[in-house]
Amino acid sequence: MAKSKTIVLIHGNFVNNNSWTDWKRYYEQKGYIVYAPANPGHEGNPAELRKNVHPELTKTGFIDVVNNIARLIDTLPDKPLVIGHSMAGMATLKLVEMGKAAAGVSIDGAPPKNVFPPFSTIKIALGAFGFFSGKGYFMGSREWYNKAFFNTLPEAERSKAFDAIAVPESHKVSKQLVLNSFSNIDFKKSHVPLLFIGGGSDNIFPPRLTQNIAGRYRDEGSRVDIKIFENKSHFICGEPGWEKVADYVLNWYESL
C-alpha cells in the first residue's frame, strides 16, 4: 500500500495532547508530518486546567472527539495513520470504520459499546461517568491516577507524572462511549489494517479486553494484528520505554 507520511495522534480521557509531546517530536524526527490536537475542551496547560476547568469541557462528548478529528483529516492531502490511546483507541476504530484512515492503531483502547468490559474496568472507571456527580466532569485524585495510570512507575515518579498530564474529563465522553449507538462498531465491515496494542499491567483496560476487541473483527480480507507489551501500564505511551512502543507501531505501519 502507498504510505501516507502523515500521522494523527489522538489523546484519551483524563489527559490532553501534552501527553503526546514526545511521540510527536519522535515521529517528526523520522520524517513524518504529525498532528496531535487537543480534544474539544482540553486545550491548555494541564496544571492550569486543573485549577480552572475549560469552559467548553462539559459540553464535549465522544461524538465531538471523533468529529473533531474527522474534520482535521478532511483538510489533509491524504488519509493519515491514526493512533489513539485509551478512549481514543475506540475513536480510532470509529474513524477507521468511517473510512478516514490509511491504517489505525488502538493503544490500551476502550471497548466499543457492543463489547462489554470486565468488572475491573467498570470498578476503576465508574467515577468518570458522573452518575453520582453534579459537576459535569471528573478529576481523578493522585491516588486514582497512581492506580489507574502509574501503577508500574516507581513511587518517586508518580507525582511528577500526575503534574505533567492529569486534567479534568467530561462525563459526557464516557457516557456517550457506553450509552450512544454511535459508539458501536460494525465488526463485519471490511477495513484498513488495524493494530491493537495492550499493556500487560494495564489496570483500566487489561490485555484480555484488548484481545477480546481485536478478536471481534470478522472480515477475512482485512488485517488485524495485536501486540501485548508485558509490564506496561495504562501510561504505556509515557512511561520509560515508550520509544519501543512507538517504534513497534511505525515498523508495523511501514511493513504494510
Side-chain angles (χ1 to χ4, degrees), residues 93-94 96-98 112 114-115 184-192 194 196 212-224:
L93 304 186
K94 196 66 188 181
V96 165
E97 183 180 271
M98 293 164 64
N114 49 335
V115 175
N184 287 317
I185 288 293
D186 180 359
F187 290 113
K188 296 179 181 178
K189 185 178 181 180
S190 63
H191 57 82
V192 297
L194 280 170
F196 289 84
N212 184 10
I213 300 167
R216 296 295 181 98
Y217 281 87
R218 290 287 179 262
D219 182 66
E220 293 183 359
S222 300
R223 179 168 174 173
V224 177

